[in-house]
Amino acid sequence: MSIVEELMQTATSDTDLLRTLDGQGDDFSVPRDVDFLMRAPSQERAELVANFINDNQYGVATAEESGGKHSVNIVIRMPVQQHLALSVSGFMACVATLFGLDYDGWGCIAQKSAQHIVAE
């Protein structure tokens, strides 16, 4: 799959996730920890990408291994307004492609803004 096709598919998946969060009453402007996941062919490749992410301060990345499968989990504290979420997700898809990993998308917990009660 070309990088353009990957970006188009990622944007569609990201928009679907945002619709789900919207259905849960999410306030997209509230910053929260957002997890981005990449699947790696080896522990060495996972560590290489995690180090790249951390060294360039794109997020906080951890190379992980579970059941013989390798991955990179990247956490970024951010709001998830569509233009931000899709831009960061697209960047992660590009990084994954450049390093030969599979980008598996992102997720977060829906957030609601705090309601302030004003006494009169």
Side-chain angles (χ1 to χ4, degrees):
M1 175 181 316
S2 75
I3 190 67
V4 172
E5 292 169 325
E6 177 76 21
L7 288 171
M8 290 172 57
Q9 181 179 348
T10 298
T12 299
S13 298
D14 294 343
T15 302
D16 290 344
L17 177 55
L18 288 170
R19 284 187 184 112
T20 299
L21 290 168
D22 189 45
Q24 297 171 0
D26 195 325
D27 178 349
F28 297 148
S29 68
V30 176
R32 81 286 307 270
D33 287 344
V34 179
D35 296 301
F36 298 85
L37 183 63
M38 299 177 191
R39 307 281 181 195
S42 67
Q43 185 65 22
E44 293 78 19
R45 185 70 55 91
E47 289 174 2
L48 175 69
V49 172
N51 288 337
F52 174 78
I53 295 291
N54 290 330
D55 289 349
N56 290 291
Q57 299 179 10
Y58 293 131
V60 178
T62 310
E64 301 174 347
E65 186 272 328
S66 178
K69 300 196 182 224
H70 308 282
S71 61
V72 180
N73 185 53
I74 302 113
V75 178
I76 301 174
R77 185 151 187 86
M78 59 182 275
V80 293
Q81 288 132 326
Q82 188 169 13
H83 64 285
L84 295 173
L86 271 64
S87 296
V88 175
S89 182
F91 173 74
M92 293 298 172
C94 289
V95 169
T97 299
L98 289 170
F99 283 95
L101 279 68
D102 292 321
Y103 179 56
D104 199 25
W106 61 275
C108 65
I109 297 172
Q111 301 293 311
K112 296 182 181 175
S113 61
Q115 298 294 322
H116 298 287
I117 300 173
V118 178
E120 293 184 28

